[in-house]
Amino acid sequence: MSRLKISHTLIALFLVVAVIVSALAVSSLGGIKMMNERNNEIATTWLPRVSLSRALETQLSDTRMAFARHLISLTPFEKKAAEKVIGETVAGFNKLADEYSSLMVTDADKAGLDNVRTAYQAYLSVAEGMVKLSNNLENMKAQSVFKVEMRETEGKVDEAIKEMRALNLAGADAAVAASSATHDQIRMIEIGVIALAAVIVLGAILYAVRGIARPIQIITRSMARLAEGDTD
């Protein structure tokens, strides 16, 4: 009966261990899934938007250089060529903005892009006046617009882009922090579950050894007494 009880107890203990290990596996899989979601969010949303915001800054610089080229052009042919480049850079800026728009998730994203578009259009409106002055060969006035008004409006575009990029960097940092927290949580759960399983297994071994050893000790003592002639 004692052996039966020991075997039943051991089976129950090992079933408990199996349940704990299964729970650990399920918890780990859930944590891994959450980490993958966070990593995908970083890879497919935050980092591309940061990259696009940097590309918008570069495109803004190219726009300024295209307008500067128009300003220093001497012949109508050169000015027409400069206007073609201006059109291409403006189209490139708008294309990047459209790509960014396809990745937007929150209202803050939309507001940030709207600020960039609005500031850029204000910049182009001022630049259009500079181009007219340049085409009319009013170079001094055109230079004044380029150096003062266009620089001021360009600064607003640049500031709007930087704010948009800062928003995305903050989002990426938050996603990384969440992924790290999930990883730490999984590790703590694994350590706790493994420790608990180890305690149960150790207890089961001690229980089994004690349950088997005690009957053997009793039998050994009885045999020793019989050998000494004690038949009581």
Side-chain angles (χ1 to χ4, degrees), residues 169-184:
L169 288 173
D173 289 342
V176 170
S179 180
S180 298
T182 301
H183 175 268
D184 293 341

Side-chain angles (χ1 to χ4, degrees), residues 6-185:
I6 291 174
S7 64
H8 287 176
T9 302
L10 291 176
I11 291 172
L13 289 173
F14 283 114
L15 284 176
V16 170
V17 172
V19 170
I20 292 174
V21 172
S22 298
L24 173 61
V26 172
S27 176
S28 297
L29 289 174
I32 292 171
K33 180 181 178 181
M34 290 178 62
M35 289 179 61
N36 285 336
E37 289 175 352
R38 294 295 185 183
N39 291 336
N40 287 335
E41 179 184 355
I42 294 170
T44 61
T45 302
W46 297 113
L47 293 183
R49 292 205 309 232
V50 171
S51 178
L52 284 171
S53 66
R54 295 187 187 280
L56 285 169
E57 282 186 327
T58 301
Q59 201 68 19
L60 176 63
S61 177
D62 291 344
T63 306
R64 182 184 69 251
M65 296 302 297
F67 283 116
R69 176 181 174 181
H70 190 284
L71 183 62
I72 63 175
S73 297
L74 300 177
T75 66
F77 176 78
E78 291 176 344
K79 291 185 181 296
K80 286 293 183 183
E83 288 174 10
K84 180 181 178 181
V85 174
I86 290 171
E88 292 172 350
T89 56
V90 170
F93 189 96
N94 290 331
K95 180 180 179 182
L96 290 171
D98 290 339
E99 290 179 12
Y100 185 95
S101 178
S102 67
L103 298 174
M104 292 190 308
V105 177
T106 66
D107 291 338
D109 298 330
K110 183 177 184 301
L113 182 59
D114 287 344
N115 289 338
V116 171
R117 289 186 187 273
T118 300
Y120 190 67
Q121 288 303 315
Y123 173 71
L124 293 180
S125 296
V126 174
E128 184 179 355
M130 187 279 295
V131 170
K132 289 180 179 179
L133 292 171
S134 178
N135 284 331
N136 292 333
L137 301 180
E138 299 180 63
N139 292 334
M140 295 299 293
K141 291 182 180 180
Q143 288 180 15
S144 177
V145 172
F146 182 82
K147 292 179 179 179
V148 179
E149 296 176 37
M150 285 182 62
R151 180 173 295 178
E152 180 180 351
T153 52
E154 181 189 358
K156 293 179 179 178
V157 180
D158 189 58
E159 182 180 352
I161 294 174
K162 282 183 169 60
E163 289 177 355
M164 189 170 67
R165 185 168 69 248
L167 176 67
N168 287 291
L169 288 173
D173 289 342
V176 170
S179 180
S180 298
T182 301
H183 175 268
D184 293 341
Q185 182 181 7

